[in-house]
Amino acid sequence: MKKLFYTLSMCLATSGLLVGMSACSDDDDDPIIPSVSNNSYTKGIYGTWGDENGNVVYTFNTDGTGVRSIKMFDSTGAISVTQYFTYTYDEEKKRLCLYIKGDDEVLIYTVQMTGNVLMLEQRDTIWILHKR
């Protein structure tokens, strides 16, 4: 009887341990933010890119930092805005995230790159940029 009780107790303890371990497994689909220190994420996008008129210019450094300059026009003339950012780029998912310095704004773009042409798409806006 003691041996049967001992065997059943061990089976119950083992089952409890297995259930406990499987309940703690990480099955969440957390997004993976690529490391900017890994140049494989920045190798294709780094450099300076601009539109044909020079009104939009993005510079991506290999250390995950960058700057963008945008000239906007209204009835009073041209306004230039320069913003510094850090970024992550996932080539596999074709996703670029810009973290604007001094602001809580995060810009997320879908990226298409063909040769020396970089297309950044965000909602209703598409920037077609050429490597400089």
Side-chain angles (χ1 to χ4, degrees):
M1 186 74 172
K2 281 185 177 182
K3 189 172 185 175
L4 179 63
F5 179 73
Y6 178 77
T7 303
L8 288 175
S9 297
M10 286 303 181
C11 287
L12 185 61
T14 303
S15 297
L17 183 63
L18 290 174
V19 169
M21 289 177 71
S22 65
C24 294
S25 70
D26 184 13
D27 60 353
D28 297 337
D29 293 330
D30 296 332
I32 298 172
I33 298 177
S35 168
V36 295
S37 63
N38 183 347
N39 284 343
S40 67
Y41 290 106
T42 61
K43 67 181 178 186
I45 201 168
Y46 77 88
T48 300
W49 302 80
D51 70 351
E52 292 177 347
N53 301 322
N55 294 327
V56 178
V57 177
Y58 283 79
T59 300
F60 299 97
N61 301 316
T62 57
D63 65 354
T65 62
V67 61
R68 74 178 188 157
S69 299
I70 300 174
K71 287 182 192 171
M72 296 178 276
F73 300 92
D74 63 10
S75 60
T76 61
I79 301 169
S80 293
V81 176
T82 300
Q83 294 176 307
Y84 295 90
F85 58 83
T86 57
Y87 72 95
T88 58
Y89 174 50
D90 187 331
E91 286 183 281
E92 186 177 305
K93 294 182 180 180
K94 300 189 182 311
R95 182 177 170 179
L96 172 67
C97 297
L98 299 184
Y99 306 92
I100 306 298
K101 290 189 177 184
D103 197 345
D104 290 335
E105 186 177 15
V106 177
L107 303 175
I108 300 172
Y109 294 101
T110 301
V111 176
Q112 291 183 24
M113 192 174 346
T114 307
N116 288 333
V117 177
L118 175 67
M119 193 161 70
L120 303 177
E121 183 176 352
Q122 181 193 39
R123 293 185 215 111
D124 298 335
T125 303
I126 298 175
W127 299 113
I128 298 175
L129 308 171
H130 302 274
K131 187 107 180 196
R132 295 187 169 189

